[in-house]
Amino acid sequence: MYLTAAILSALLALVALAAGGPKALLKGDVSAGLQSHMGLSAGLVRFVGLAEVAAAGGLVMGLFWQPLGIAAAAGFALLMVGAVVCHVRVGDYRDPKLRGNAMAPFVLFAVAVATAVTLGLAM
């Protein structure tokens, strides 16, 4: 079970770091899109990015101390719930052109929950 938890943690950490880094630095199209399309402030975008980067760090450190990894995975899952709420508010799920990208938080939520559960079982 630990091998599964380690693989899920590493994959989720890479995704969280790749998604959070540009947001934390307010660089790239994603940060600009969150500000213009979603109506989020620059400070909130930066906060979300820093939370994603922190989750990545917690997931990596959680390989050595599972309670931290469980907390990081649970926190990342909550971030994805917030992302779904934001996508619902702006109507991304009704627009076929935007629906594909808006589904990513659902997938990442499922992976984060699976990571937390497998880390818990590996203890």
Side-chain angles (χ1 to χ4, degrees):
M1 188 60 68
Y2 182 77
L3 182 61
T4 303
I7 291 169
L8 286 173
S9 293
L11 289 174
L12 192 59
L14 286 173
V15 169
L17 186 61
K23 290 177 198 163
L25 299 173
L26 294 177
K27 302 266 183 189
D29 296 337
V30 173
S31 296
L34 288 173
Q35 292 177 53
S36 63
H37 176 67
M38 296 275 191
L40 302 178
S41 68
L44 184 56
V45 171
R46 181 168 283 157
F47 173 77
V48 169
L50 290 172
E52 289 174 341
V53 169
L59 285 161
V60 170
M61 289 186 280
L63 293 173
F64 306 102
W65 189 51
Q66 281 89 358
L68 180 60
I70 293 168
F76 190 77
L78 288 175
L79 275 173
M80 294 302 102
V81 169
V84 168
V85 169
C86 286
H87 283 290
V88 167
R89 283 183 32 209
V90 297
D92 286 350
Y93 297 111
R94 287 178 282 171
D95 187 351
K97 295 176 187 171
L98 300 173
R99 191 176 301 139
N101 288 338
M103 295 305 290
F106 282 111
V107 174
L108 292 173
F109 173 81
V111 173
V113 169
T115 302
V117 169
T118 55
L119 280 169
L121 292 174
M123 287 179 63

